[in-house]
Amino acid sequence: MATPLASRAPKLRLPLLTQKGLEVPPPTEKDWSKDDEREYVFKDPDQQRHSLPQPYRMINKLVDLLFDRSWEIIEERNRLREAKLSRIQPTIYPPVFQSKLGNVPNCMAISQDYVFIGGAKGFSIYNLFNAKRMCVWDKLKVGVTSIWAEDLGNDILIAPVDEMGVVRLFYIYKDSLFFIKTINEVEDTNKQTPCVKMEISQGGDFAAFLLQGAGDTWLDVYRLPKESWLKEVEHPQVTTNPKKKVRQPQLNTLDSMSLDNLEMDISIGLKADVRLSAPLPIVKIKPPRPITGTTFKSPLEVFAKVEGCFGLGSGQNHFIKESQWEQQAAAFQAMYRKFLDGGSEDELVSMATFYFLLPSCLIMMPAELKGPSGVPCVLGMHWTGRHNFFFYSLNRTLRDKVGSRQDPPPRTLVGME
Protein backbone atom coordinates (compact mmCIF):
# COMPACT_ATOMS: atom_id res chain seq x y z
CA MET A 1 0.00 0.00 0.00
CA ALA A 2 1.47 3.29 -1.02
CA THR A 3 2.30 5.76 1.67
CA PRO A 4 1.24 9.37 1.46
CA LEU A 5 4.86 10.42 1.17
CA ALA A 6 5.36 8.16 -1.78
CA SER A 7 2.38 9.65 -3.54
CA ARG A 8 3.85 13.08 -3.19
CA ALA A 9 7.04 12.13 -5.04
CA PRO A 10 7.51 13.97 -8.41
CA LYS A 11 6.26 11.98 -11.41
CA LEU A 12 8.47 11.37 -14.43
CA ARG A 13 6.98 13.02 -17.53
CA LEU A 14 7.70 11.66 -21.00
CA PRO A 15 8.44 13.89 -24.01
CA LEU A 16 5.40 15.25 -25.83
CA LEU A 17 6.19 13.39 -29.04
CA THR A 18 6.23 10.03 -27.28
CA GLN A 19 2.83 10.41 -25.68
CA LYS A 20 0.17 7.91 -26.65
CA GLY A 21 -1.87 8.93 -29.74
CA LEU A 22 0.82 11.06 -31.42
CA GLU A 23 2.73 9.45 -34.27
CA VAL A 24 5.35 10.77 -36.68
CA PRO A 25 3.85 10.73 -40.22
CA PRO A 26 5.77 8.70 -42.80
CA PRO A 27 7.41 10.54 -45.67
CA THR A 28 5.17 11.02 -48.73
CA GLU A 29 5.43 12.56 -52.23
CA LYS A 30 2.00 14.17 -52.38
CA ASP A 31 3.31 17.40 -50.95
CA TRP A 32 6.08 17.71 -53.47
CA SER A 33 5.89 20.61 -55.91
CA LYS A 34 4.49 19.60 -59.28
CA ASP A 35 6.48 22.24 -61.10
CA ASP A 36 9.76 20.95 -59.72
CA GLU A 37 8.92 17.28 -59.97
CA ARG A 38 11.93 16.59 -62.12
CA GLU A 39 14.21 17.82 -59.37
CA TYR A 40 13.10 15.01 -57.07
CA VAL A 41 14.29 12.26 -59.34
CA PHE A 42 17.21 10.52 -57.77
CA LYS A 43 20.26 10.91 -59.89
CA ASP A 44 23.97 11.26 -59.63
CA PRO A 45 24.84 14.52 -57.92
CA ASP A 46 27.75 14.93 -60.27
CA GLN A 47 25.37 14.97 -63.25
CA GLN A 48 22.94 17.51 -61.88
CA ARG A 49 22.45 20.69 -63.90
CA HIS A 50 21.71 24.04 -62.51
CA SER A 51 18.49 25.85 -63.63
CA LEU A 52 18.95 28.05 -66.68
CA PRO A 53 18.86 31.76 -66.24
CA GLN A 54 16.45 34.04 -68.09
CA PRO A 55 15.77 34.38 -70.97
CA TYR A 56 17.09 30.86 -71.67
CA ARG A 57 14.64 29.27 -69.28
CA MET A 58 11.72 30.85 -71.18
CA ILE A 59 13.18 29.71 -74.50
CA ASN A 60 13.44 26.20 -73.15
CA LYS A 61 9.78 26.22 -72.11
CA LEU A 62 8.70 27.47 -75.54
CA VAL A 63 10.68 24.74 -77.27
CA ASP A 64 9.10 22.11 -75.02
CA LEU A 65 5.64 23.55 -75.72
CA LEU A 66 6.30 23.45 -79.45
CA PHE A 67 7.31 19.81 -79.31
CA ASP A 68 4.25 18.90 -77.20
CA ARG A 69 1.82 20.55 -79.61
CA SER A 70 3.56 18.99 -82.60
CA TRP A 71 3.21 15.59 -81.04
CA GLU A 72 -0.51 16.19 -80.40
CA ILE A 73 -0.99 17.08 -84.06
CA ILE A 74 0.87 13.92 -85.12
CA GLU A 75 -1.30 11.79 -82.88
CA GLU A 76 -4.51 13.42 -84.21
CA ARG A 77 -3.46 12.82 -87.82
CA ASN A 78 -2.62 9.24 -87.01
CA ARG A 79 -6.03 8.77 -85.38
CA LEU A 80 -7.83 10.19 -88.43
CA ARG A 81 -5.76 8.02 -90.76
CA GLU A 82 -6.64 4.90 -88.80
CA ALA A 83 -10.34 5.87 -88.77
CA LYS A 84 -10.27 6.38 -92.53
CA LEU A 85 -8.65 3.01 -93.13
CA SER A 86 -11.23 1.31 -90.93
CA ARG A 87 -14.12 2.57 -93.09
CA ILE A 88 -15.65 0.47 -95.83
CA GLN A 89 -14.03 1.64 -99.03
CA PRO A 90 -16.33 2.09 -102.06
CA THR A 91 -15.85 -0.16 -105.01
CA ILE A 92 -13.75 1.45 -107.73
CA TYR A 93 -14.52 0.39 -111.27
CA PRO A 94 -11.58 1.00 -113.58
CA PRO A 95 -12.34 1.98 -117.18
CA VAL A 96 -12.61 -0.87 -119.62
CA PHE A 97 -10.93 1.20 -122.30
CA GLN A 98 -9.92 4.79 -122.93
CA SER A 99 -10.38 6.99 -125.95
CA LYS A 100 -8.33 10.15 -126.38
CA LEU A 101 -10.16 13.16 -127.77
CA GLY A 102 -8.52 15.88 -129.80
CA ASN A 103 -10.37 18.71 -128.05
CA VAL A 104 -12.18 19.18 -124.79
CA PRO A 105 -15.86 18.30 -125.39
CA ASN A 106 -18.60 20.78 -124.52
CA CYS A 107 -21.27 18.23 -123.66
CA MET A 108 -22.04 14.52 -123.73
CA ALA A 109 -25.07 12.23 -123.80
CA ILE A 110 -25.49 8.44 -123.76
CA SER A 111 -28.27 6.40 -125.32
CA GLN A 112 -28.37 2.70 -126.14
CA ASP A 113 -24.97 1.70 -127.58
CA TYR A 114 -23.81 5.20 -128.51
CA VAL A 115 -22.08 8.16 -126.89
CA PHE A 116 -22.85 11.58 -128.36
CA ILE A 117 -20.19 14.24 -127.79
CA GLY A 118 -20.61 17.89 -128.73
CA GLY A 119 -17.51 19.80 -129.75
CA ALA A 120 -16.36 23.11 -131.16
CA LYS A 121 -17.41 22.32 -134.76
CA GLY A 122 -20.30 19.87 -134.37
CA PHE A 123 -20.98 16.56 -132.68
CA SER A 124 -19.59 13.04 -132.93
CA ILE A 125 -21.08 9.61 -132.31
CA TYR A 126 -18.95 6.96 -130.60
CA ASN A 127 -19.53 3.30 -130.00
CA LEU A 128 -20.07 2.72 -126.30
CA PHE A 129 -18.27 -0.64 -126.21
CA ASN A 130 -15.12 -0.08 -128.25
CA ALA A 131 -14.84 3.77 -128.23
CA LYS A 132 -14.63 3.84 -132.03
CA ARG A 133 -15.95 7.00 -133.63
CA MET A 134 -18.78 6.07 -135.97
CA CYS A 135 -20.06 9.41 -137.22
CA VAL A 136 -19.10 13.09 -137.38
CA TRP A 137 -21.41 16.00 -138.13
CA ASP A 138 -19.46 19.24 -138.61
CA LYS A 139 -20.64 20.53 -141.99
CA LEU A 140 -21.86 23.88 -140.62
CA LYS A 141 -18.81 24.34 -138.36
CA VAL A 142 -20.90 25.42 -135.37
CA GLY A 143 -20.10 24.59 -131.78
CA VAL A 144 -22.54 22.34 -129.95
CA THR A 145 -23.04 23.55 -126.38
CA SER A 146 -25.59 20.95 -125.26
CA ILE A 147 -26.97 17.73 -126.67
CA TRP A 148 -29.97 15.59 -125.80
CA ALA A 149 -30.38 11.92 -126.74
CA GLU A 150 -33.64 10.10 -126.08
CA ASP A 151 -34.13 6.36 -126.48
CA LEU A 152 -37.25 5.62 -128.56
CA GLY A 153 -36.91 1.84 -128.46
CA ASN A 154 -35.25 0.69 -131.67
CA ASP A 155 -34.26 4.23 -132.64
CA ILE A 156 -32.80 7.35 -131.05
CA LEU A 157 -33.76 11.02 -131.19
CA ILE A 158 -30.88 13.52 -131.02
CA ALA A 159 -31.36 17.21 -130.28
CA PRO A 160 -28.10 19.23 -130.33
CA VAL A 161 -28.11 22.94 -129.49
CA ASP A 162 -25.36 25.04 -131.07
CA GLU A 163 -23.66 28.17 -129.79
CA MET A 164 -26.29 30.38 -131.47
CA GLY A 165 -29.09 28.62 -129.61
CA VAL A 166 -30.37 26.80 -132.73
CA VAL A 167 -31.95 23.37 -132.10
CA ARG A 168 -31.77 20.66 -134.76
CA LEU A 169 -33.47 17.29 -134.54
CA PHE A 170 -31.78 14.12 -135.82
CA TYR A 171 -33.04 10.57 -135.93
CA ILE A 172 -30.92 7.41 -135.78
CA TYR A 173 -32.35 4.16 -137.09
CA LYS A 174 -30.03 1.17 -137.39
CA ASP A 175 -26.97 2.45 -139.27
CA SER A 176 -28.49 5.62 -140.70
CA LEU A 177 -28.71 9.20 -139.46
CA PHE A 178 -31.68 11.28 -140.63
CA PHE A 179 -32.17 15.01 -140.32
CA ILE A 180 -35.69 15.97 -139.21
CA LYS A 181 -36.00 19.70 -138.76
CA THR A 182 -34.42 22.88 -137.42
CA ILE A 183 -36.70 24.18 -134.70
CA ASN A 184 -35.81 27.88 -134.52
CA GLU A 185 -33.55 28.73 -137.47
CA VAL A 186 -34.27 32.02 -139.27
CA GLU A 187 -32.82 33.62 -142.38
CA ASP A 188 -31.92 36.88 -140.63
CA THR A 189 -29.47 36.23 -137.80
CA ASN A 190 -30.46 39.53 -136.16
CA LYS A 191 -33.91 38.05 -135.55
CA GLN A 192 -32.58 34.81 -134.09
CA THR A 193 -34.62 33.33 -131.21
CA PRO A 194 -32.15 31.20 -129.24
CA CYS A 195 -33.25 28.22 -127.21
CA VAL A 196 -32.31 28.64 -123.56
CA LYS A 197 -33.83 25.41 -122.26
CA MET A 198 -35.40 22.25 -123.65
CA GLU A 199 -37.05 19.09 -122.40
CA ILE A 200 -38.00 15.82 -124.12
CA SER A 201 -40.49 13.51 -122.46
CA GLN A 202 -39.50 10.00 -121.52
CA GLY A 203 -40.26 7.84 -124.52
CA GLY A 204 -39.97 10.74 -126.97
CA ASP A 205 -43.66 11.57 -127.40
CA PHE A 206 -43.36 15.31 -126.69
CA ALA A 207 -40.71 18.03 -126.74
CA ALA A 208 -40.69 21.57 -125.33
CA PHE A 209 -38.32 24.42 -126.18
CA LEU A 210 -38.02 27.66 -124.22
CA LEU A 211 -37.16 30.43 -126.70
CA GLN A 212 -36.18 34.08 -126.27
CA GLY A 213 -36.10 36.88 -128.78
CA ALA A 214 -36.93 40.58 -129.21
CA GLY A 215 -37.39 40.98 -125.46
CA ASP A 216 -39.99 38.21 -125.30
CA THR A 217 -39.98 34.68 -123.90
CA TRP A 218 -42.24 31.77 -124.77
CA LEU A 219 -42.42 27.99 -124.70
CA ASP A 220 -43.10 25.93 -127.83
CA VAL A 221 -44.49 22.44 -127.23
CA TYR A 222 -44.42 19.80 -129.99
CA ARG A 223 -45.78 16.32 -130.45
CA LEU A 224 -43.15 14.02 -131.99
CA PRO A 225 -44.55 11.62 -134.63
CA LYS A 226 -42.17 8.78 -133.83
CA GLU A 227 -44.53 6.15 -135.31
CA SER A 228 -44.50 8.02 -138.62
CA TRP A 229 -40.72 8.30 -138.52
CA LEU A 230 -40.36 4.56 -138.11
CA LYS A 231 -42.58 3.89 -141.12
CA GLU A 232 -40.81 6.51 -143.23
CA VAL A 233 -37.32 5.12 -142.58
CA GLU A 234 -38.42 1.53 -143.18
CA HIS A 235 -40.08 2.50 -146.46
CA PRO A 236 -38.18 5.63 -147.54
CA GLN A 237 -39.57 7.87 -150.22
CA VAL A 238 -36.96 10.09 -151.80
CA THR A 239 -38.44 13.46 -152.67
CA THR A 240 -36.60 16.30 -154.36
CA ASN A 241 -37.76 19.80 -155.22
CA PRO A 242 -35.43 21.51 -157.72
CA LYS A 243 -37.20 24.85 -157.36
CA LYS A 244 -36.58 25.11 -153.63
CA LYS A 245 -33.17 24.66 -152.11
CA VAL A 246 -33.36 23.38 -148.58
CA ARG A 247 -30.35 23.82 -146.32
CA GLN A 248 -29.67 20.33 -145.10
CA PRO A 249 -26.98 19.52 -142.53
CA GLN A 250 -24.67 16.90 -144.00
CA LEU A 251 -22.22 14.44 -142.61
CA ASN A 252 -18.55 15.14 -143.03
CA THR A 253 -16.71 11.85 -143.31
CA LEU A 254 -13.40 12.21 -145.12
CA ASP A 255 -12.44 15.86 -145.07
CA SER A 256 -12.58 16.03 -141.27
CA MET A 257 -10.02 13.28 -140.73
CA SER A 258 -6.91 14.37 -138.89
CA LEU A 259 -3.99 12.83 -137.07
CA ASP A 260 -5.87 12.69 -133.78
CA ASN A 261 -8.79 10.68 -135.19
CA LEU A 262 -7.27 8.19 -137.57
CA GLU A 263 -8.80 5.32 -135.60
CA MET A 264 -12.31 5.72 -136.91
CA ASP A 265 -15.04 3.28 -137.87
CA ILE A 266 -17.59 5.13 -140.00
CA SER A 267 -20.65 2.90 -139.90
CA ILE A 268 -23.44 5.50 -139.62
CA GLY A 269 -24.22 7.57 -142.68
CA LEU A 270 -26.46 10.59 -143.15
CA LYS A 271 -29.48 10.05 -145.39
CA ALA A 272 -29.98 13.61 -146.60
CA ASP A 273 -32.41 12.68 -149.38
CA VAL A 274 -35.00 11.15 -147.03
CA ARG A 275 -37.47 13.62 -145.56
CA LEU A 276 -39.18 12.81 -142.26
CA SER A 277 -42.38 14.27 -140.89
CA ALA A 278 -41.94 17.47 -138.93
CA PRO A 279 -42.98 17.67 -135.27
CA LEU A 280 -46.54 18.83 -134.74
CA PRO A 281 -46.85 22.05 -132.71
CA ILE A 282 -49.32 21.82 -129.85
CA VAL A 283 -49.24 25.07 -127.88
CA LYS A 284 -47.24 28.23 -127.55
CA ILE A 285 -47.16 29.35 -123.94
CA LYS A 286 -46.20 32.86 -122.93
CA PRO A 287 -45.52 34.21 -119.43
CA PRO A 288 -48.66 35.08 -117.48
CA ARG A 289 -49.74 38.68 -117.51
CA PRO A 290 -49.04 40.71 -114.36
CA ILE A 291 -51.99 40.61 -112.01
CA THR A 292 -53.64 44.03 -111.86
CA GLY A 293 -56.83 45.46 -110.49
CA THR A 294 -60.13 43.96 -111.55
CA THR A 295 -62.07 45.24 -114.54
CA PHE A 296 -65.22 43.35 -113.64
CA LYS A 297 -68.20 45.14 -112.17
CA SER A 298 -69.75 42.18 -110.37
CA PRO A 299 -68.72 38.68 -109.14
CA LEU A 300 -71.03 37.15 -111.74
CA GLU A 301 -68.76 38.40 -114.51
CA VAL A 302 -65.81 36.67 -112.82
CA PHE A 303 -67.57 33.29 -112.71
CA ALA A 304 -68.64 33.71 -116.31
CA LYS A 305 -64.97 33.68 -117.37
CA VAL A 306 -64.33 30.28 -115.75
CA GLU A 307 -65.40 27.32 -117.89
CA GLY A 308 -65.82 24.23 -115.77
CA CYS A 309 -62.59 23.34 -113.95
CA PHE A 310 -60.28 24.96 -116.51
CA GLY A 311 -58.49 28.19 -115.63
CA LEU A 312 -58.85 27.87 -111.87
CA GLY A 313 -56.08 29.36 -109.75
CA SER A 314 -54.45 31.39 -112.51
CA GLY A 315 -55.06 34.62 -110.60
CA GLN A 316 -56.36 36.45 -113.66
CA ASN A 317 -60.07 36.20 -112.92
CA HIS A 318 -60.60 37.96 -109.58
CA PHE A 319 -62.56 40.75 -107.97
CA ILE A 320 -59.72 42.60 -106.21
CA LYS A 321 -59.35 46.32 -106.72
CA GLU A 322 -56.11 48.08 -107.67
CA SER A 323 -55.91 49.85 -104.30
CA GLN A 324 -56.00 46.50 -102.50
CA TRP A 325 -53.09 45.20 -104.59
CA GLU A 326 -51.08 48.34 -103.79
CA GLN A 327 -51.71 47.94 -100.07
CA GLN A 328 -50.71 44.29 -100.17
CA ALA A 329 -47.53 45.06 -102.14
CA ALA A 330 -46.56 47.82 -99.68
CA ALA A 331 -47.08 45.52 -96.69
CA PHE A 332 -45.07 42.75 -98.35
CA GLN A 333 -42.19 45.10 -99.19
CA ALA A 334 -42.10 46.46 -95.63
CA MET A 335 -42.14 43.00 -94.04
CA TYR A 336 -39.65 41.20 -96.31
CA ARG A 337 -37.43 44.07 -97.43
CA LYS A 338 -34.23 42.45 -96.14
CA PHE A 339 -34.92 39.21 -98.03
CA LEU A 340 -35.60 40.83 -101.41
CA ASP A 341 -32.70 41.18 -103.87
CA GLY A 342 -34.13 44.26 -105.55
CA GLY A 343 -34.35 42.69 -109.04
CA SER A 344 -36.99 43.94 -111.41
CA GLU A 345 -40.05 41.80 -112.01
CA ASP A 346 -39.52 41.75 -115.77
CA GLU A 347 -36.16 40.04 -115.38
CA LEU A 348 -37.61 37.33 -113.14
CA VAL A 349 -40.19 36.23 -115.72
CA SER A 350 -37.55 35.47 -118.36
CA MET A 351 -36.96 31.87 -117.22
CA ALA A 352 -39.25 28.92 -116.60
CA THR A 353 -39.18 25.36 -115.28
CA PHE A 354 -41.35 22.76 -116.98
CA TYR A 355 -41.94 19.01 -116.73
CA PHE A 356 -43.88 16.34 -118.62
CA LEU A 357 -46.16 14.58 -116.15
CA LEU A 358 -47.82 11.18 -116.37
CA PRO A 359 -51.47 10.60 -115.40
CA SER A 360 -51.97 10.45 -111.63
CA CYS A 361 -54.55 11.06 -108.94
CA LEU A 362 -53.29 14.64 -108.60
CA ILE A 363 -54.13 15.49 -112.20
CA MET A 364 -57.84 15.20 -112.91
CA MET A 365 -58.29 14.81 -116.66
CA PRO A 366 -61.65 14.79 -118.45
CA ALA A 367 -62.62 11.49 -120.05
CA GLU A 368 -62.29 12.80 -123.61
CA LEU A 369 -58.72 14.00 -122.95
CA LYS A 370 -57.25 10.80 -121.51
CA GLY A 371 -54.38 9.31 -123.53
CA PRO A 372 -52.63 5.94 -123.63
CA SER A 373 -50.90 4.55 -120.56
CA GLY A 374 -47.28 5.56 -120.03
CA VAL A 375 -47.57 8.67 -122.19
CA PRO A 376 -47.41 12.14 -120.58
CA CYS A 377 -50.75 13.89 -120.54
CA VAL A 378 -49.92 17.18 -118.82
CA LEU A 379 -47.14 19.77 -118.99
CA GLY A 380 -46.37 21.33 -115.60
CA MET A 381 -44.82 24.78 -115.76
CA HIS A 382 -43.59 27.41 -113.32
CA TRP A 383 -42.36 30.86 -114.31
CA THR A 384 -39.56 32.36 -112.24
CA GLY A 385 -40.81 35.03 -109.90
CA ARG A 386 -44.42 33.78 -109.98
CA HIS A 387 -46.38 31.91 -107.33
CA ASN A 388 -48.36 29.65 -109.66
CA PHE A 389 -47.64 26.19 -111.02
CA PHE A 390 -49.68 25.66 -114.17
CA PHE A 391 -50.83 22.41 -115.76
CA TYR A 392 -51.39 22.34 -119.53
CA SER A 393 -53.11 19.48 -121.30
CA LEU A 394 -51.07 17.75 -124.01
CA ASN A 395 -54.00 15.90 -125.55
CA ARG A 396 -55.82 17.81 -128.26
CA THR A 397 -59.51 17.34 -128.89
CA LEU A 398 -61.29 17.50 -132.23
CA ARG A 399 -62.49 21.01 -131.58
CA ASP A 400 -58.88 22.22 -131.26
CA LYS A 401 -57.34 23.51 -134.42
CA VAL A 402 -54.54 21.37 -135.80
CA GLY A 403 -51.24 23.23 -135.67
CA SER A 404 -52.57 26.02 -133.45
CA ARG A 405 -49.70 27.47 -131.43
CA GLN A 406 -51.44 30.22 -129.49
CA ASP A 407 -51.39 30.19 -125.73
CA PRO A 408 -54.75 28.61 -124.86
CA PRO A 409 -56.19 29.74 -121.51
CA PRO A 410 -58.78 26.90 -121.51
CA ARG A 411 -55.95 24.36 -121.61
CA THR A 412 -54.67 25.63 -118.25
CA LEU A 413 -55.98 22.99 -115.90
CA VAL A 414 -55.01 24.29 -112.47
CA GLY A 415 -52.81 27.08 -111.21
CA MET A 416 -51.56 26.06 -107.78
CA GLU A 417 -50.40 28.75 -105.39
Side-chain angles (χ1 to χ4, degrees), residues 17 44-45 75 84 170 203 209 251 255 269-270 296 303 341 346 374 381:
L17 297 177
D44 190 353
E75 290 181 343
K84 184 177 180 180
F170 293 87
F209 307 93
L251 189 68
D255 55 353
L270 179 67
F296 302 110
F303 290 107
D341 55 359
D346 296 337
M381 189 172 188

Side-chain angles (χ1 to χ4, degrees), residues 5-70:
L5 294 176
S7 61
R8 294 179 179 178
K11 297 180 179 181
L12 182 61
R13 294 187 177 183
L14 297 175
L16 184 61
L17 297 177
T18 60
Q19 294 181 5
K20 186 177 181 181
L22 297 176
E23 298 179 357
V24 178
T28 178
E29 298 180 359
K30 66 180 182 179
D31 297 330
W32 289 6
S33 176
K34 298 299 181 181
D35 296 336
D36 300 334
E37 187 175 358
R38 298 178 181 177
E39 301 297 334
Y40 287 88
V41 178
F42 295 100
K43 51 189 176 181
D44 190 353
D46 295 336
Q47 297 180 355
Q48 291 184 356
R49 293 176 297 177
H50 298 284
S51 60
L52 296 174
Q54 294 290 3
Y56 303 104
R57 188 164 62 249
M58 178 60 67
I59 296 175
N60 186 39
K61 291 183 178 180
L62 292 177
V63 173
D64 292 342
L65 179 62
L66 178 62
F67 275 101
D68 293 340
R69 292 186 177 180
S70 301

Side-chain angles (χ1 to χ4, degrees), residues 79-93:
R79 185 185 65 81
L80 295 176
R81 187 182 299 108
E82 292 178 354
K84 184 177 180 180
L85 294 177
S86 63
R87 298 175 184 173
I88 299 177
Q89 299 296 328
T91 304
I92 300 177
Y93 297 95

Side-chain angles (χ1 to χ4, degrees), residues 146-388:
S146 64
I147 189 169
W148 193 292
E150 182 64 30
D151 186 1
L152 305 182
N154 296 327
D155 39 8
I156 304 174
L157 176 65
I158 312 172
V161 183
D162 63 16
E163 54 193 359
M164 299 297 294
V166 179
V167 184
R168 297 176 177 87
L169 298 182
F170 293 87
Y171 182 79
I172 290 183
Y173 180 74
K174 293 183 179 179
D175 297 335
S176 301
L177 178 66
F178 302 89
F179 173 73
I180 301 175
K181 183 184 177 181
T182 302
I183 297 297
N184 56 337
E185 187 177 25
V186 295
E187 296 295 337
D188 189 0
T189 57
N190 296 327
K191 299 180 180 180
Q192 183 66 50
T193 57
C195 176
V196 295
K197 192 174 183 179
M198 65 175 296
E199 185 78 20
I200 299 178
S201 64
Q202 185 176 3
D205 294 283
F206 300 94
F209 307 93
L210 185 64
L211 306 178
Q212 289 182 346
D216 196 5
T217 304
W218 66 93
L219 181 73
D220 284 341
V221 185
Y222 293 86
R223 182 189 298 274
L224 305 178
K226 58 180 185 179
E227 293 81 4
S228 301
W229 293 342
L230 185 59
K231 295 179 181 179
E232 292 169 354
V233 297
E234 290 180 349
H235 306 282
Q237 295 180 0
V238 180
T239 58
T240 58
N241 187 0
K243 297 182 180 180
K244 183 178 180 180
K245 296 182 179 180
V246 181
R247 186 184 181 185
Q248 292 280 358
Q250 296 182 359
L251 189 68
N252 198 355
T253 56
L254 297 178
D255 55 353
S256 62
M257 299 287 289
S258 58
L259 295 177
D260 57 348
N261 55 28
L262 290 178
E263 189 176 0
M264 185 171 178
D265 184 12
I266 302 176
S267 58
I268 297 180
L270 179 67
K271 303 296 183 180
D273 53 349
V274 178
R275 300 292 301 276
L276 302 183
S277 300
L280 303 177
I282 300 179
V283 292
K284 180 178 181 180
I285 305 173
K286 293 184 178 181
R289 299 185 305 271
I291 300 178
T292 57
T294 180
T295 58
F296 302 110
K297 297 180 180 180
S298 65
L300 296 178
E301 296 182 5
V302 179
F303 290 107
K305 290 292 184 180
V306 180
E307 300 178 1
C309 64
F310 298 100
L312 294 178
S314 62
Q316 301 295 333
N317 302 323
H318 60 83
F319 198 65
I320 303 175
K321 297 181 180 180
E322 185 69 28
S323 58
Q324 294 175 317
W325 284 118
E326 294 177 357
Q327 294 175 4
Q328 182 184 10
F332 181 83
Q333 292 286 341
M335 185 176 299
Y336 301 102
R337 187 184 305 275
K338 62 180 180 180
F339 300 103
L340 301 177
D341 55 359
S344 62
E345 190 174 356
D346 296 337
E347 295 179 355
L348 295 177
V349 182
S350 61
M351 288 301 295
T353 304
F354 45 93
Y355 309 93
F356 290 101
L357 305 178
L358 296 174
S360 64
C361 59
L362 179 63
I363 305 171
M364 301 300 297
M365 295 290 298
E368 66 271 10
L369 295 181
K370 290 185 179 180
S373 177
V375 178
C377 62
V378 166
L379 174 71
M381 189 172 188
H382 168 257
W383 292 94
T384 306
R386 300 296 180 178
H387 304 284
N388 304 86

